[in-house]
Amino acid sequence: CGCGHAKKKKTVNITELAIYDQPPDLSQYKYMEEEMSALREHVSVVRQSVWTGLDKMEGTRVYVVDKYRVAEKATKDALEYVQSEEGFFPRLGVITLSGLTGLVLGARG
């Protein structure tokens, strides 16, 4: 506070605090396995099913992302070829092939 008076600090041991009591004698307790209730069993089954489904979806996601990247690279390569090549017939061939591929993939859904 700047008034020249030094405050005294009193240190307190942890065990002297009111919230800390002496630890109980654990030898009087016995561990017993808890029986699973019907609700807990059902929740466990649902949780396991959800995780199995998520694992399968992750595998599908990786497959789709891989195929998307391959298609993206092929598309970029074809676009670069069409934009850079001189001549009408090579461009016409690439554009026709791309259009037919789009029709086939669109029809498959």
Side-chain angles (χ1 to χ4, degrees), residues 45-77:
V45 168
V46 169
R47 188 182 69 234
Q48 290 172 2
S49 298
V50 167
W51 279 109
T52 301
L54 288 175
D55 288 342
K56 288 179 183 178
M57 287 175 53
E58 178 63 20
T60 304
R61 186 194 68 81
V62 168
Y63 175 79
V64 168
V65 166
D66 182 48
K67 295 300 178 188
Y68 172 78
R69 288 190 179 140
V70 168
E72 183 181 35
K73 183 174 180 349
T75 303
K76 285 182 181 179
D77 291 344

Side-chain angles (χ1 to χ4, degrees), residues 78 81-82 87-101:
Y81 177 77
V82 168
F88 175 73
F89 290 109
R91 287 183 184 180
L92 180 63
V94 170
I95 292 171
T96 303
L97 182 62
S98 299
L100 290 174
T101 303

Side-chain angles (χ1 to χ4, degrees), residues 75-86:
T75 303
K76 285 182 181 179
D77 291 344
L79 183 61
E80 183 179 312
Y81 177 77
V82 168
Q83 290 176 345
S84 67
E85 277 298 314
E86 298 297 324

Side-chain angles (χ1 to χ4, degrees), residues 7-44:
K7 291 185 178 181
K8 285 187 165 183
K9 290 185 179 180
K10 180 181 177 194
T11 57
V12 177
N13 195 355
I14 292 176
T15 57
E16 293 175 349
L17 293 172
I19 60 172
Y20 292 102
D21 291 332
Q22 292 296 328
D25 181 20
L26 297 179
S27 64
Q28 65 184 353
Y29 297 104
K30 179 182 174 187
Y31 178 74
M32 294 179 63
E33 189 70 35
E34 180 182 0
E35 292 183 28
M36 285 186 73
S37 67
L39 174 65
R40 192 168 173 188
E41 284 183 34
H42 291 304
V43 169
S44 177

